[in-house]
């Protein structure tokens, strides 16, 4: 296996590798736990490592349970546009919100928590779903002179994809390491996400070809 260090100015951005997105979790992504060893191996090649953590209040508006009679995975209209209603997941302080127990987290420079406002969801690590409210990550990376963001994590078609597209929009070079991601694939969302990312200039690699 190739283990060369990535260039200075490159950041490994690890999206939502949390219990609730792994088998047994509230919003389990098939094979979500399989990426942990791959991500841990990759971490050693990056000087800058950032984790994101989906971090919702118990009454979050993206939860089907918050909406009387609403089915999980149905779509509702929010002030900022369409929103999928998810099973309750990643509640602040819960076991489901914790990182996967085997994920190396001690060497991360920064943990970005997102989705902590009841009224608005945040798939992206950069902007909440209104596409305006910022998490601050773009400024953080820019001030640290990061020019290239390599994305891994869960889920490919939601938080990884939204983060990748926002990173492109902010002017970063963006690469998604596909073997270190897994998708939800809600009604073809995985294929659509891959197409959109490719069309917007996201690069794809594997942890071996990176
Ligand atoms: C995610 C749905 C809801 C994700 C987070 O991490 O992809 N998906 N919250
Ligand atoms: Zn969420």
């Amino acid at each position: 296996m190739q283990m060369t260090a990535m260039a200075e100015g490159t950041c490994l951005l690890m999206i939502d590798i949390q219990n609730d997105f792994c088998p047994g979790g509230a919003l389990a992504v098939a094979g979500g736990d399989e990426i942990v060893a791959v991500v841990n191996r990759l971490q050693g090649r990056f000087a800058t490592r950032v984790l994101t953590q989906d971090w919702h209040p118990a009454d979050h508006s993206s939860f089907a349970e918050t909406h009387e009679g609403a089915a999980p995975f149905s779509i509702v209209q929010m002030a900022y546009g369409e929103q999928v209603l998810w099973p309750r997941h990643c509640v602040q302080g819960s076991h489901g919100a914790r990182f996967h127990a085997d994920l190396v987290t001690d060497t991360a420079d920064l943990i970005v928590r997102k989705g902590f406002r009841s009224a608005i969801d945040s798939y992206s690590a950069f902007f909440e779903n209104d596409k305006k409210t910022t998490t601050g990550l773009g400024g953080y990376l820019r001030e640290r002179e990061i020019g290239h963001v390599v994305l891994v994590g869960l889920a490919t078609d939601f938080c990884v994809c939204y983060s990748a597209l926002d990173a492109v929009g902010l002017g970063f070079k963006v690469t998604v390491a596909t073997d270190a991601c897994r998708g939800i694939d809600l009604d073809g969302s995985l294929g659509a996400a891959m197409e959109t990312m490719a069309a917007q200039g996201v690069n794809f690699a594997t942890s071996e070809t990176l």
Side-chain angles (χ1 to χ4, degrees):
M1 193 200 310
Q2 183 195 344
M3 282 301 287
T4 50
M6 298 296 292
E8 279 282 312
T10 306
C11 170
L12 181 65
L13 181 54
M14 297 170 273
I15 304 290
D16 299 0
I17 309 176
Q18 293 165 261
N19 291 325
D20 271 342
F21 298 121
C22 291
L27 182 41
V29 179
D33 55 339
E34 295 166 5
I35 70 167
V36 173
V38 182
V39 170
N40 284 343
R41 268 197 304 275
L42 265 179
Q43 292 202 50
R45 297 171 57 189
F46 290 79
T48 306
R49 308 167 201 178
V50 173
L51 297 162
T52 69
Q53 195 170 24
D54 213 36
W55 195 250
H56 301 307
D59 66 344
H60 196 253
S61 58
S62 78
F63 297 161
E65 291 88 337
T66 305
H67 304 260
E68 188 74 37
F73 307 105
S74 62
I75 293 172
V76 290
Q77 205 62 35
M78 299 280 200
Y80 52 82
E82 285 193 347
Q83 171 69 48
V84 178
L85 294 183
W86 304 103
R88 183 179 280 125
H89 65 278
C90 296
V91 172
Q92 295 170 358
S94 68
H95 172 79
R98 289 197 195 107
F99 293 113
H100 186 287
D102 297 334
L103 182 71
V104 173
T105 61
D106 287 347
T107 47
D109 294 353
L110 177 72
I111 299 174
V112 178
R113 287 176 169 166
K114 61 185 181 63
F116 51 75
R117 292 180 179 86
S118 282
I120 179 166
D121 203 4
S122 188
Y123 295 149
S124 166
F126 295 94
F127 294 99
E128 302 196 8
N129 286 9
D130 62 359
K131 300 188 185 325
K132 288 196 283 278
T133 307
T134 170
T135 65
L137 180 59
Y140 174 87
L141 294 178
R142 199 169 295 129
E143 289 198 6
R144 291 202 49 193
E145 301 184 349
I146 298 293
H148 183 192
V149 178
V150 176
L151 284 129
V152 298
L154 308 170
T156 319
D157 37 353
F158 288 92
C159 292
V160 173
C161 176
Y162 278 69
S163 300
L165 297 179
D166 281 346
V168 169
L170 289 169
F172 295 101
K173 179 183 174 189
V174 181
T175 305
V176 170
T178 52
D179 60 328
C181 299
R182 291 291 186 278
I184 294 174
D185 204 15
L186 187 62
D187 296 326
S189 59
L190 185 54
M194 296 299 284
E195 265 180 45
T196 306
M197 286 193 280
Q200 303 274 316
V202 172
N203 304 283
F204 297 103
T206 69
S207 57
E208 303 276 332
T209 61
L210 204 59

